[in-house]
Amino acid sequence: MKLLLKALLSLAVMALLLWQIELAPLLAAFAATKLELSLLAFALFLFQQVVVAYAWHILLVGQNRNLPLRKTVEVHFIGSFFGTFLPSSVGMDVIRAYRLGRYLERGVDSASAMFVTRVVGFLVNFLLALLVAIPVSRTLGNPSLFGFVLLLTAIFIACVWIVLNEKMLGLMKAVLARFKLASITDKIAGFRAGIMSMARDRRAMFNLIALSFFYQTLGIVIIYVLGRALGIELSIWHYFIYIPLITTITVLPISLAGIGIREGAFVFFFAQAGVAQAQALSLSLLLFAQTLALALLGGVWYLLAREQSANAISNATQLEQITQSA
């Protein structure tokens, strides 16, 4: 039911935007897109995904989980294929953690690493959003904007605290035990223990924070390049002001994969800088097109990985038959 409501909200917001914005200027904006800059933005986007996967990987290495980086990148891309149309990026992370967990001795380690990576990434984004919300609030004469971002940040930190708090874990164990689900508590305890162990690895955490700032900044640069491809003549500093705010709003789990909410936020914020609504909407749609292209690549990678796995099994079977006949 919740998924249906999110899908309806996404459709309603998109329908409202398309009703307000005439189709002709929207198509004209796409037609004027510079292909070379679009391809450059997509290449940077793919590189950013490798950086995100590497950020996840260094936590596992810090816990002596000797998994090849290639496998982490593979799982990251394939997870994009399966998780693109889930209600939120959290669902995509669950798929990635599950798939990577199959290659580790303790599957919970992949979930712990993914959790820490996401938490640090969101905290960096919220920090950027808080920093840019101050000048934006003054420019718009709307101090409530900063308060809104601050509230989201506080809610996020509170949720993380609840997940990691030992007393809350004990309460959760008691509740699960009453419903005869005590076996789940061991997994939850292992998940928390993995998170705390990774958090105590100062070197890995320092590298993770540095990488988080890098890929969050790179994400803003990618959108700036897409904007230039659409002919949006704005200084890159406008993007550093708007994108963290847009990302913060899109995180809210109220629509399907952020569709509609993201587009509406792009139109609203970029209109403050004088960008035409058609161009702002085109920018958001191009950004979503990158996500779809990534999912397509992940699907191809998945098919190739399955074929390689099938061939490996077939070769092993044939070798076993030859050995037995000999």
Side-chain angles (χ1 to χ4, degrees), residues 198-251:
M198 292 175 185
R200 286 191 292 267
D201 188 341
R202 294 183 179 181
R203 181 177 179 180
M205 289 302 298
F206 176 81
N207 291 334
L208 176 60
I209 293 171
L211 282 172
S212 296
F213 272 103
F214 176 71
Y215 68 69
Q216 294 285 1
T217 301
L218 181 58
I220 296 173
V221 172
I222 290 168
I223 299 174
Y224 168 73
V225 174
L226 280 178
R228 299 294 294 184
L230 285 165
I232 298 176
E233 301 292 337
L234 274 184
S235 168
I236 191 172
W237 298 113
H238 285 87
Y239 291 81
F240 274 90
I241 292 174
Y242 300 137
I243 299 306
L245 298 177
I246 293 172
T247 304
T248 301
I249 294 172
T250 308
V251 165

Side-chain angles (χ1 to χ4, degrees), residues 18 34 46 71-72 78 86 111 143 165 167 181 186 197 225 238 278 294:
L18 293 174
K34 298 176 182 177
L46 292 180
K71 183 58 65 176
T72 309
I78 292 176
L86 290 177
N165 184 265
K167 291 183 179 180
L181 297 173
D186 294 334
S197 176
V225 174
H238 285 87
L294 176 66

Side-chain angles (χ1 to χ4, degrees), residues 9 17 38 71 73 79 81 130 134 168 184 224 264 312 316-317 322 326:
L9 178 61
L17 288 171
S38 298
K71 183 58 65 176
V73 175
F81 169 65
L130 284 171
I134 297 173
M168 293 301 299
I184 299 178
Y224 168 73
T317 303
I322 293 172

Side-chain angles (χ1 to χ4, degrees), residues 9-21 260:
L9 178 61
S10 292
L11 289 174
V13 175
M14 286 300 301
L16 178 62
L17 288 171
L18 293 174
W19 178 70
Q20 289 181 337
I21 301 171

Side-chain angles (χ1 to χ4, degrees), residues 64-81:
N64 297 318
R65 303 293 180 255
N66 296 321
L67 189 73
L69 175 61
R70 180 187 176 280
K71 183 58 65 176
T72 309
V73 175
E74 175 186 309
V75 169
H76 182 81
F77 274 70
I78 292 176
S80 299
F81 169 65

Side-chain angles (χ1 to χ4, degrees), residues 265-284:
F266 264 91
V267 171
F268 172 78
F269 283 108
F270 278 84
Q272 313 305 316
V275 177
Q277 290 184 333
Q279 284 185 311
L281 180 57
S282 299
L283 178 58
S284 179

Side-chain angles (χ1 to χ4, degrees), residues 148-164:
F148 171 71
V149 178
L150 184 61
L151 177 62
L152 287 181
T153 305
I155 291 173
F156 177 75
I157 293 175
C159 290
V160 173
W161 179 84
I162 290 173
V163 171
L164 299 181

Side-chain angles (χ1 to χ4, degrees), residues 1-14 85-91 122 148 152 155 245-265:
M1 185 63 180
K2 289 183 178 179
L3 180 60
L4 178 61
L5 290 175
K6 291 178 179 180
L8 290 175
L9 178 61
S10 292
L11 289 174
V13 175
M14 286 300 301
F85 293 103
L86 290 177
S88 70
S89 59
V90 175
F122 278 128
F148 171 71
L152 287 181
I155 291 173
L245 298 177
I246 293 172
T247 304
T248 301
I249 294 172
T250 308
V251 165
L252 296 174
I254 57 176
S255 65
L256 184 63
I259 298 173
I261 301 301
R262 177 182 51 251
E263 283 68 32

